Amino acid sequence: MTDHTQTLSLILSMIRSGSAVTRPDLSRRTGLGRTIITQRVDQAIQEGLVAEGEPAPSTGGRPSRVLRITPGRAVVIGAVFGATHLHVAVTDLDGTILADRRVDSDIDAGPETSLATLHTVSAHLLTREGQDRLWGVCVGVPGPVDFAQGTVVQPPIMSGWHGFPLRDRLEAHYQVPAWVDNDANLMALGAWSRTRASVGDNVLLVKASTGIGLGLVSRGRLHRGARGAAGDLGHTIVADESRTKCRCGKFGCLEAFAGGWALARDARAAGLTGRSRFLAERLERSAAPLVVTDVLDGCRLEDPVCTELVARAGELIGAQLAILVSVFNPSTVYLAGLLAQAGRVFREPLADAVVRRSLPLATDELVIAEVSLDRREGVIGAATLAIDELLQSDMLGRWLPHGSPRGSRARDEDFARVT
C-alpha cells in the first residue's frame, strides 16, 4: 500500500503543479511504466480526484487527454489571522479561490474570541460550497508555531494563545484534518506556489506589517527549522546597546524600530512635537491613537516625515535581510504586508541595503518585488498547505479507503501529521 499511495500522491502532485498533465508526460517525468501510470490515473479518476479534459497537442499518434484536478470534488479552508484582521478563503482542491472574506479581528482578544470569529466567517463562506464537501483546514497566526503539535509557542503578541491546542480545536469543530503555521510561512508558500515556474525553488518573503516576519521556501519546501522558529526576522537584534524595548520584552529588536507599531509610535511623537503637520492634524481630528496606516496615508500625500519613517524601516529591514540573502542565495525576495503597500518608498531603500551589504554573486540576478496577488498570498498558502498534506502519501493512504478525510477519523491518533 505504501508504494501504491506514494506513486498516486506523486502523480496527483505533478498534475496539480502542471509539471505533467498527460499520461505520457507523467511516465517520462516519473520514470514509471505506462501500466502503473494508467492504473494510478484511472484510480484517481474513479475516486473523483482527477478529470480528463481536452486533447493535448499532438506529437504524433493518438493524442492524450489533459488531466486536471477535478473541480467541485471537495474544498478546503485557508485562514490567516493578522494582528488586527482575519482573512478566510474557501478553495477547490486545485487551489482556486471560490470565496473569501476579510474582517476586523483583534488577535489579543484571545483564542476563544478569535475562533468564534473564524467559525462565523467560514460558516458563511461554506453556505454555498457545502459543509459536507470540506476536507481540510489550515490556519496561519502571527507568532511562533510548533507545527508538529499545532500550537502557538510564547508569542510576543497574541495574549492567551501560548500552548492553546489550536489544531485540536479546529479538528474537533470542523471534523476534518487541520494544520497551523506561522502567517509569513503561509504567505511565502502562497506567493511561491503561484510563481514557481518563473522564480525557481528558493524564495524569501518578508512580511512587514504591524510586526515583521519572514517565510523561506528552500528547494520547493517550506523551511521551518528544528522547532518552527525559522524566519523570525523581526526579533533579530539591530542595536545591542539600545534601550528601545520590543513587544517581545527584549531590547534593540528590528521590529522595535521598523515594525508598523514602532512607526506608529514614532509618528505620534512627530505629530505631538509638530515635526509633521499631517500627523499633527491626524492627532487633532481623532481620539484614536495613530496606526501604521496613518503613516502610509502620509506617504501617499508625500508628507516628508511619513516618507522618512517608511524609508528608514525599509533600510533597516534590508540590512538584516542582506545577511539571509548572502547565506541562502534566493532567486526572489517578495515583499508583503502593509509597508510593502508604500511601493518604491519602502522597496528601494530595502533593495539598496541588500545590494550594498551582499556579494554581487548573490544579488546580480536577485529580484526584489511586491507580491501581486491582491493580498491573498496568505490564504492561498494556507489552502495550498492543507491540500499538500491531504494528498501526501501517508495521509492519503489513511483516508482514501474511506472516500474522504471527513468524520471522526480526522482526530484519530493514527492520522499522520508530517512535519
Side-chain angles (χ1 to χ4, degrees):
M1 188 64 176
T2 300
D3 290 342
H4 185 102
T5 54
Q6 283 179 345
T7 54
L8 179 59
S9 175
L10 175 61
I11 287 169
L12 291 171
S13 175
M14 298 187 82
I15 293 171
R16 281 182 60 217
S17 68
S19 59
V21 294
T22 67
R23 288 173 174 84
D25 284 347
L26 287 165
S27 184
R28 283 192 293 269
R29 291 293 303 273
T30 63
L32 296 171
R34 181 184 303 177
T35 300
I36 292 178
I37 292 295
T38 298
Q39 290 173 349
R40 300 300 183 269
V41 170
D42 287 350
Q43 180 189 5
I45 292 173
Q46 291 167 8
E47 297 287 352
L49 296 173
V50 169
E52 289 186 297
E54 70 280 3
S58 178
T59 57
R62 183 179 177 181
S64 299
R65 294 276 178 179
V66 172
L67 302 169
R68 294 191 177 90
I69 298 298
T70 305
R73 178 69 174 91
V75 298
V76 299
I77 290 173
V80 177
F81 284 101
T84 59
H85 71 277
L86 167 67
H87 190 188
V88 186
V90 175
T91 83
D92 226 329
L93 288 183
D94 66 357
T96 300
I97 293 179
L98 304 174
D100 73 312
R101 186 180 177 192
R102 292 183 177 92
V103 297
D104 291 336
S105 176
D106 181 5
I107 198 73
D108 272 331
E112 298 291 354
T113 299
S114 298
L115 279 180
T117 303
L118 171 62
H119 298 336
T120 299
V121 175
S122 62
H124 172 76
L125 295 178
L126 287 170
T127 300
R128 185 181 67 181
E129 306 306 329
Q131 178 78 33
D132 60 336
R133 292 175 55 225
L134 180 65
W135 278 15
V137 176
C138 179
V139 172
V141 294
V145 171
D146 184 329
F147 184 74
Q149 299 299 319
T151 58
V152 183
V153 181
Q154 297 183 343
I157 57 173
M158 302 178 65
S159 299
W161 286 81
H162 172 62
F164 181 79
L166 181 54
R167 185 186 63 200
D168 291 343
R169 290 290 296 274
L170 292 168
E171 291 185 343
H173 179 83
Y174 292 102
Q175 288 290 290
V176 295
W179 294 270
V180 181
D181 209 338
N182 172 262
D183 60 346
N185 282 348
L186 297 178
M187 293 166 80
L189 182 62
W192 171 77
S193 70
R194 293 299 173 89
T195 60
R196 56 187 171 187
S198 59
V199 304
D201 289 339
N202 298 288
V203 170
L204 297 177
L205 179 139
V206 176
K207 184 208 75 170
S209 256
T210 303
I212 300 171
L214 181 136
L216 191 158
V217 175
S218 175
R219 297 183 179 181
R221 295 179 63 88
L222 272 177
H223 177 75
R224 298 184 180 91
R227 290 291 309 280
D232 204 351
L233 183 66
H235 300 288
T236 57
I237 303 299
V238 298
D240 286 329
E241 304 302 322
S242 173
R243 297 189 62 80
T244 302
K245 191 173 184 178
C246 183
R247 296 183 300 176
C248 71
K250 298 179 182 179
F251 293 86
C253 294
L254 174 64
E255 191 176 293
F257 297 94
W261 65 271
L263 268 62
R265 174 201 64 207
D266 295 343
R268 181 177 185 275
L272 290 175
T273 59
R275 276 207 311 129
S276 166
R277 182 177 177 181
F278 168 82
L279 293 171
E281 290 175 351
R282 281 283 169 109
L283 284 170
E284 290 173 3
R285 288 201 305 266
S286 175
L290 292 178
V291 292
V292 65
T293 51
D294 292 308
V295 180
L296 295 177
D297 289 344
C299 268
R300 284 187 279 271
L301 295 173
E302 299 184 346
D303 175 74
V305 172
C306 292
T307 301
E308 176 189 334
L309 288 173
V310 173
R312 177 60 175 161
E315 183 179 2
L316 288 170
I317 294 171
Q320 294 299 93
L321 184 60
I323 300 170
L324 290 175
V325 167
S326 295
V327 171
F328 176 58
N329 188 204
S331 65
T332 303
V333 173
Y334 283 121
L335 307 179
L338 288 172
L339 294 186
Q341 295 176 27
R344 64 177 183 81
V345 175
F346 176 71
R347 181 186 66 252
E348 290 181 357
L350 183 150
D352 287 345
V354 170
V355 172
R356 285 198 318 269
R357 292 168 176 263
S358 304
L359 291 173
L361 185 61
T363 59
D364 57 4
E365 295 183 359
L366 178 67
V367 174
I368 299 178
E370 292 89 10
V371 181
S372 56
L373 291 173
D374 194 26
R375 295 185 295 139
R376 287 185 167 93
E377 58 272 6
V379 292
I380 291 171
T384 298
L385 189 147
I387 299 165
D388 284 347
E389 294 288 346
L390 283 170
L391 300 182
Q392 190 270 344
S393 60
D394 286 347
M395 178 71 83
L396 190 63
R398 283 167 170 79
W399 67 256
L400 196 59
H402 305 283
S404 91
R406 289 194 56 77
S408 61
R409 292 179 308 279
R411 291 179 286 121
D412 288 348
E413 286 300 317
D414 67 346
F415 234 72
R417 296 182 178 96
V418 178
T419 60

